[in-house]
Amino acid sequence: MALTKTVAGIAAGTLLTASTAFAQTYPERQITMVVPFSAGGPTDTVGRLIAEKMSADLGQQIIVENVGGAGGTLGAGNVAAAEADGYTILLHHIGMATSATLYRNLAYNPLEAFDYVGLVTEVPMTIVARKDLEPADFASLVTYVKENADTITMANAGIGAASHLCGMLFMQALEAPIVTVPYKGTGPAMTELLGGQIDIMCDQTTNTTEQIKGGTIKAYAVTSPARLDIFPDLPTVSEGGFPGLEVSVWHGLYAPKGTPAEVTARLSQSLQTALADPEIAAKLGELGTAPSPAADATPDALKAKLEAEIARWKPIIETAGVYAD
Ligand code: ASP
């Protein structure tokens, strides 16, 4: 017994030394950041912003790989199955929490399959439409959607995506089962909204701000509790009578389960450095949001957020009875 313990102790010591040595030299090569939605969309925008700053801090390039599909679960699944060596990381959003309930046959357990790096940002959503959709304001949109529920089309980025979640709440609130069209991300969905092939969408300000300001799409409401400085004339969903539509799309950075703690600590430190960069605050500010504070860009804060959000959305989704399978 004593001998076994000693052998185990030596083995553990060797492992610890090896992992510490590994962490001291980390990163030695390029890192892949998986974004589980299409390029050009809002999650991609946030991912590329922090990847650039973290690359500078880590002294190695972080390249963004877009793996869209199935509401973000394909990309997340790839990272869950990847080598836990710090060279594959995942930038996901609130969908990590909602997919835990929406997908009953998920190949990975969102709470067990990842190690945590930290929270990145929280982004409000906007309810937008193609430029020539009839209603002029949110109240008329509500009436219009109720009257035309069977012909209106609403884009989303697949079941579990933030756009799906917001759309689901929208349909429940209005008691209007609209036809939904899934894309691999709201980047391509925006292209179709601009082209008039789709009618409405609920999407992060990180994707809609430029188009709203340019007048190429119509905006009806923001899903934040208060109006946004960038859109002072845009009412909140609560002002429009639908407080249940408030959604905040929090983003987190993850690594596959089993990544050495020193490596996630290094990534977390690098994330904090990136988020403290005034350029990031300025860019996110222009898009109606802000970087998470350093205290939240930590493994513990992200873990606590994910646990709380899975618990928060589970009963809402179960009551709605909408599942991906
Ligand atoms: N905004 C998308 C969503 O609905 C994702 C994306 O394309 O970034 O979750």
Side-chain angles (χ1 to χ4, degrees), residues 32-244:
T32 298
M33 177 190 284
V34 172
V35 167
F37 298 102
S38 310
T43 314
D44 182 64
T45 296
V46 170
R48 283 175 201 271
L49 273 180
I50 60 159
E52 190 197 328
K53 296 292 175 194
M54 287 178 69
S55 297
D57 178 65
L58 291 166
Q60 289 290 345
Q61 196 67 26
I62 299 184
I63 55 141
V64 170
E65 186 189 351
N66 298 92
V67 184
T73 59
L74 286 184
N78 284 5
V79 177
E83 192 99 26
D85 57 4
Y87 291 98
T88 307
I89 55 178
L90 170 72
L91 188 271
H92 205 342
H93 64 26
I94 189 172
M96 184 70 108
T98 55
S99 58
T101 305
L102 284 163
Y103 288 77
R104 289 177 290 196
N105 304 317
L106 214 51
Y108 58 93
N109 177 338
L111 274 175
E112 314 258 303
F114 302 96
D115 281 324
Y116 304 91
V117 177
L119 282 160
V120 177
T121 181
E122 286 210 28
V123 184
M125 301 190 90
T126 41
I127 297 174
V128 295
R130 62 179 160 81
K131 197 182 162 188
D132 51 357
L133 197 78
E134 239 170 75
D137 56 26
F138 190 48
S140 348
L141 178 75
V142 168
T143 313
Y144 182 84
V145 167
K146 283 184 174 189
E147 285 170 358
N148 298 281
D150 49 346
T151 54
I152 274 195
T153 51
M154 186 170 203
N156 67 36
I159 296 181
S163 46
H164 164 259
L165 178 66
C166 182
M168 187 179 82
L169 297 173
F170 185 69
M171 287 185 231
Q172 269 175 21
L174 272 62
E175 293 173 13
I178 314 166
V179 177
T180 55
V181 184
Y183 295 81
K184 286 189 175 176
T186 48
M190 176 60 83
T191 307
E192 302 253 298
L193 196 72
L194 288 167
Q197 289 97 339
I198 197 103
D199 296 319
I200 54 173
M201 174 161 78
C202 183
D203 200 22
Q204 288 108 295
T205 53
T206 31
N207 197 34
T208 59
T209 297
E210 205 183 310
Q211 306 299 347
I212 295 172
K213 292 206 161 180
T216 49
I217 58 173
K218 235 174 198 170
Y220 291 100
V222 289
T223 67
S224 42
R227 289 191 184 206
L228 300 178
D229 289 347
I230 55 164
F231 301 127
D233 298 333
L234 213 50
T236 65
V237 284
S238 297
E239 285 174 60
F242 297 98

